[in-house]
Every structure is written in structure tokens, then in C-alpha cells.
């Protein structure tokens, strides 16, 4: 049995007084984040040899509390988490994983703050106790397991959520099935399995078109007007619905593969480079391959299954899975081709999935080079 860190996102229904406290805490955290970022920029421009560590930001926070007494009215751990987020943002920037941190705006569609568990975040029936905010109602049938480490309260589209992160959550390993599979992803079909099964992609064209229409309508509104705010809320809700629909599909497919197979072989794709093709960028971003691969990876780790990644330069589509002949003249519009050596006719995608499976099994047996 594995013990992992797991988060549960619950929708909560706070009363007016609690909502006002949440909004105040969000504003204070945003203020601390922006002030720390502003001071960081000033010290960098002055070439001050400062050690930008937690102590550096903690000194800034102490000065802010002296000059702004209203900061003492909110949870101090939430304010500390604000500059911790800034420090993490700079670390990601220096590693080349994200852009330079930006100032936070109160007009962002998602606002949140973090509270740490000091033995006062716990659940009682259909209520959750959140430190000094007291009990807040929620609706969810799942049982929350493990030790609660912290919670993140967020506000989006006039809805309140709490994401409870728990440690030492027990997860049972799934039984072995003695089956392996290769998975090739595509744009015509979302996924093609080595057992010749093709999984259709989501039909989200209407939802995407609706988001595009609302985006166009929003661009024609006068900024900060009432109609602008109404349209912006409609657009945010449409994007939220699209995201939920897509994530539901990805979660169901990924858990199904983990349940049915012991070894899952996939091809590593540099999606960032693929998005540079402007003709296919929208289609690639809509299918959300990256999130699918992330879900497969952590679910395999949770449930004791194995995920093998095959290099993206491996000629999975061009190689005959029967005799090994490589068809170097194969073009993207050729969905079927016949091997000149063994006269075997291949479906391009199924052939690729079989080759990914064979290569993945050789990597799993003989190491990264395979055979």
C-alpha cells in the first residue's frame, strides 16, 4: 500500500461574514506579494547584494505590518505563504520554467490564499473548520483521508472552493493484469492503442466556438463597464465548463488504462515546439495531451503500474512492426501504407502504437537504449 500526498477540491458555501473575511485575506496577500515583488525589483536595479531568501521577504513583511496595521488583522501564515509563492515563482524563472513574475491584479478571474493547519483544519459531517474562520458548509460525498497539511481557499466565477492537501493518504495497489499497451496520440482520434482500439476525441467544437464568440464580444465592450463585467463572467464560466468537461474525459481514460494494463508505453512529445505550427496549434492545445500524460504518470506511481516513455524521434509511424522496414517516404496525409518487404498493409496510427509498445517493452527490459 502506497502513502501519497493528495489534494481534495471541495466547493464551500460561506456566509456573508465569512466571505468578507476571505476577500479581506485575499486582498492582504495580494498586497504583500506585490510589495515584496516591487522591493525585489528595486534592489535588483540598485545592484544591492541581497540574499533573496525567506528572511529577506520576512523583513519586508515586518516593515509592512508596522506601516499598515490592517495587515495584523488577517492570518499571518497566509501572508507568509504570499512571499513563499513569490520565492517559488523566482526559482521557476531562474530554472527557465516560467516567465518573470508579474504583479497580481484584483481583476484576475481566480483569487486565492493559503492557510496552514495548526491543528484547527478538520471536517465534521458536511462542514469543514478553517482556523479562525470557523465552520463552513461544503457538498462532497468523498471521504477525506490522511493528515491535513494545509488548505487553499479560492474564488472563481462567484463560487468559493477549498483545496485540502493531505499527507500519508493510503492508496491500494491495483491487481496485475499481465497486459501491456502502447498508446499513440493523434488529432483525428485522441488515442490509438496497440490492440487496434481507437478512442475518439472530445466533441468540444461548439464549446470552443462559444468561447471564441464571447472573447470577440468582450473585445468590443468598454473596459470596466457593466456589460464588460457581465461578458467577462460569461466567458470565464464557459472556459470553466470546457475545462471541467475535458478533465473529466482525461481522468476517466487515464484511470481506465491504469486499471486494464500493467505497462503503458507512450511517446514523449515536445508539445511546446509543436504549438509553433500555427495551423495546428489550436487543435493541439484543445486535445490537452500534456495533462493526459501527467495524469498517467502520477496514477501509475500511485497504483503500482509502470509508465515507459519512448523518445519522440523514434520512427514509430514509418517502421513496419512485422519486418522492421522503415518507410522514409511516408507523409502525414498517408493514413495507410503497404510494406514493400513483407507486403503487410498498415494503418498508420495502429502501426505506430504497436511499435511504441515493442520499443517500450525493450526499454523496460534492457534499459534506456532498448534493442
Amino acid at each position: 500500500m502506497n502513502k501519497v500526498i493528495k489534494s481534495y477540491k471541495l466547493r464551500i458555501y460561506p456566509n456573508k461574514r465569512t466571505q468578507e473575511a476571505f476577500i479581506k485575506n485575499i486582498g492582504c496577500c495580494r498586497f504583500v506579494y506585490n510589495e515584496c515583488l516591487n522591493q525585489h525589483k528595486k534592489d535588483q536595479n540598485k545592484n544591492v547584494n541581497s540574499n533573496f531568501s525567506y528572511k529577506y521577504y520576512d523583513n519586508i513583511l515586518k516593515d509592512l505590518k508596522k506601516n499598515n496595521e490592517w495587515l495584523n488583522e488577517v492570518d499571518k501564515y497566509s501572508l507568509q505563504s504570499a512571499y513563499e509563492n513569490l520565492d517559488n515563482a523566482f526559482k521557476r524563472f531562474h530554472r527557465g520554467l516560467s516567465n518573470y513574475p508579474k504583479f497580481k491584479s484584483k481583476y484576475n478571474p481566480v483569487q486565492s490564499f493559503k492557510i496552514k493547519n495548526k491543528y484547527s483544519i478538520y471536517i465534521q459531517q458536511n462542514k469543514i473548520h478553517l482556523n479562525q474562520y470557523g465552520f463552513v458548509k461544503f457538498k462532497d460525498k468523498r471521504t477525506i483521508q490522511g493528515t491535513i497539511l494545509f488548505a487553499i481557499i479560492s474564488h472563481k466565477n462567484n463560487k468559493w472552493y477549498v483545496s485540502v492537501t493531505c499527507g500519508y493518504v493510503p492508496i491500494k495497489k491495483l491487481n496485475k493484469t499481465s497486459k501491456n499497451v502502447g498508446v499513440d496520440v493523434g488529432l483525428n482520434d485522441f488515442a490509438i492503442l496497440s490492440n487496434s482500439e481507437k478512442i475518439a476525441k472530445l466533441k468540444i467544437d461548439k464549446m470552443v466556438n462559444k468561447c471564441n464568440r464571447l472573447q470577440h464580444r468582450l473585445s468590443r465592450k468598454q473596459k470596466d463597464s457593466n456589460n464588460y463585467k457581465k461578458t467577462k463572467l460569461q466567458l470565464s464560466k464557459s472556459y470553466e465548463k470546457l475545462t471541467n468537461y475535458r478533465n473529466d474525459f482525461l481522468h476517466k481514460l487515464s484511470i481506465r488504462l491504469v486499471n486494464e494494463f500493467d505497462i503503458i508505453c507512450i511517446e514523449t512529445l515536445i508539445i511546446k515546439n509543436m504549438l509553433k505550427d500555427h495551423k495546428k496549434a489550436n487543435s493541439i492545445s484543445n486535445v490537452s495531451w500534456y495533462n493526459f500524460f501527467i495524469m498517467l504518470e502520477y496514477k501509475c506511481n500511485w497504483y503500482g503500474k509502470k509508465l515507459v516513455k519512448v523518445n519522440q524521434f523514434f520512427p514509430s509511424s514509418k517502421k513496419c512492426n512485422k519486418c522492421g522496414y522503415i518507410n522514409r517516404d511516408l507523409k502525414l496525409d498517408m493514413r495507410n501504407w503497404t510494406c514493400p518487404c513483407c507486403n503487410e498493409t498498415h494503418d498508420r496510427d495502429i502501426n505506430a502504437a504497436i511499435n511504441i509498445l515493442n520499443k517500450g517493452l525493450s526499454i523496460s527490459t534492457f534499459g534506456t537504449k532498448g534493442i
Side-chain angles (χ1 to χ4, degrees):
M1 182 179 290
N2 290 337
K3 289 190 177 181
V4 301
I5 296 176
K6 190 175 182 180
S7 293
Y8 302 86
K9 189 173 183 179
L10 315 171
R11 183 169 177 191
I12 55 177
Y13 301 87
N15 55 34
K16 288 186 178 180
R17 178 184 290 182
T18 308
Q19 287 185 36
E20 290 175 358
F22 286 169
I23 293 171
K24 186 175 184 179
N25 206 327
I26 287 173
C28 291
C29 291
R30 183 173 59 245
F31 175 78
V32 170
Y33 182 95
N34 290 340
E35 288 297 319
C36 289
L37 178 56
N38 185 41
Q39 188 62 42
H40 188 285
K41 283 186 173 182
K42 287 181 180 179
D43 290 344
Q44 275 189 329
N45 293 333
K46 293 178 183 178
N47 294 322
V48 176
N49 295 324
S50 299
N51 182 16
F52 299 111
S53 60
Y54 284 170
K55 189 175 181 180
Y56 167 81
Y57 295 115
D58 198 46
N59 291 332
I60 296 176
L61 179 59
K62 288 178 181 178
D63 294 335
L64 290 174
K65 283 186 173 181
K66 289 179 182 178
N67 299 326
N68 305 278
E69 294 183 356
W70 41 271
L71 287 176
N72 295 306
E73 299 175 6
V74 299
D75 183 15
K76 64 177 182 180
Y77 297 108
S78 299
L79 302 180
Q80 290 175 356
S81 66
Y83 67 69
E84 287 176 3
N85 292 338
L86 177 61
D87 185 64
N88 291 331
F90 272 111
K91 287 179 180 177
R92 289 181 59 82
F93 168 70
H94 292 309
R95 293 173 189 165
L97 300 176
S98 62
N99 296 326
Y100 192 87
K102 297 180 180 179
F103 291 105
K104 289 191 175 182
S105 170
K106 66 179 180 180
Y107 299 108
N108 285 342
V110 181
Q111 302 282 348
S112 63
F113 68 95
K114 178 179 177 181
I115 56 175
K116 294 183 180 179
N117 185 14
K118 293 296 176 182
Y119 309 104
S120 53
I121 300 179
Y122 54 90
I123 292 175
Q124 241 179 37
Q125 295 179 350
N126 64 333
K127 295 181 180 180
I128 181 170
H129 188 270
L130 299 169
N131 288 3
Q132 72 269 31
Y133 304 107
F135 285 100
V136 181
K137 291 182 180 179
F138 73 90
K139 286 185 179 180
D140 203 291
K141 295 181 180 179
R142 293 174 296 176
T143 56
I144 296 179
Q145 298 177 310
T147 304
I148 297 177
L149 303 176
F150 59 87
I152 296 176
I153 298 171
S154 58
H155 183 238
K156 183 179 182 180
N157 299 336
N158 296 330
K159 300 175 185 176
W160 288 96
Y161 299 94
V162 59
S163 180
V164 182
T165 301
C166 303
Y168 309 105
V169 180
I171 294 183
K172 292 182 179 179
K173 291 186 177 182
L174 295 174
N175 296 328
K176 298 294 183 180
T177 61
S178 301
K179 295 180 182 179
N180 307 318
V181 70
V183 181
D184 181 46
V185 292
L187 294 178
N188 295 329
D189 297 294
F190 178 81
I192 301 90
L193 308 185
S194 55
N195 58 7
S196 301
E197 181 184 356
K198 293 186 177 182
I199 298 167
K201 66 179 182 180
L202 279 175
K203 297 179 180 179
I204 57 174
D205 292 340
K206 289 184 179 179
M207 301 173 74
V208 172
N209 291 336
K210 182 179 179 181
C211 291
N212 292 337
R213 287 197 305 271
L214 288 171
Q215 186 70 58
H216 180 66
R217 195 183 303 170
L218 182 67
S219 66
R220 298 166 61 188
K221 304 292 182 185
Q222 184 178 355
K223 197 169 185 180
D224 295 334
S225 65
N226 288 332
N227 286 333
Y228 179 89
K229 293 177 181 177
K230 288 179 183 178
T231 309
K232 189 175 182 181
L233 181 61
Q234 289 178 343
L235 178 62
S236 183
K237 287 183 177 180
S238 296
Y239 274 125
E240 183 182 19
K241 185 177 179 180
L242 176 61
T243 302
N244 292 339
Y245 186 57
R246 184 190 290 122
N247 287 341
D248 179 68
F249 169 77
L250 296 178
H251 275 295
K252 288 178 179 177
L253 177 58
S254 58
I255 196 63
R256 179 202 148 190
L257 294 177
V258 172
N259 273 318
E260 293 181 2
F261 303 101
D262 293 340
I263 300 178
I264 303 172
C265 305
I266 61 173
E267 193 173 17
T268 58
L269 299 175
I270 306 177
I271 299 173
K272 186 177 180 180
N273 292 342
M274 297 174 71
L275 291 173
K276 293 178 182 178
D277 184 354
H278 300 294
K279 294 181 180 179
K280 298 179 181 179
N282 286 334
S283 300
I284 293 171
S285 60
N286 285 335
V287 291
S288 194
W289 291 333
Y290 179 79
N291 289 339
F292 175 63
F293 293 151
I294 291 293
M295 291 178 186
L296 271 180
E297 187 169 9
Y298 77 73
K299 287 177 184 179
C300 284
N301 291 333
W302 280 5
Y303 298 108
K305 300 302 178 74
K306 191 171 184 179
L307 183 70
V308 181
K309 297 179 181 180
V310 177
N311 191 286
Q312 68 270 15
F313 298 110
F314 174 68
S316 56
S317 300
K318 299 180 179 180
K319 185 178 179 181
C320 173
N321 67 77
K322 298 292 184 181
C323 65
Y325 171 79
I326 297 178
N327 185 1
R328 302 191 184 277
D329 297 326
L330 187 66
K331 298 180 180 179
L332 284 174
D333 58 347
M334 296 172 62
R335 308 314 303 174
N336 296 280
W337 62 281
T338 302
C339 177
C341 292
C342 61
N343 295 325
E344 183 76 18
T345 301
H346 298 294
D347 179 291
R348 178 195 183 98
D349 297 324
I350 295 175
N351 177 61
I354 295 172
N355 284 326
I356 290 172
L357 172 62
N358 295 334
K359 183 65 175 178
L361 292 177
S362 67
I363 291 173
S364 177
T365 306
F366 300 102
T368 54
K369 292 184 179 180
I371 56 172

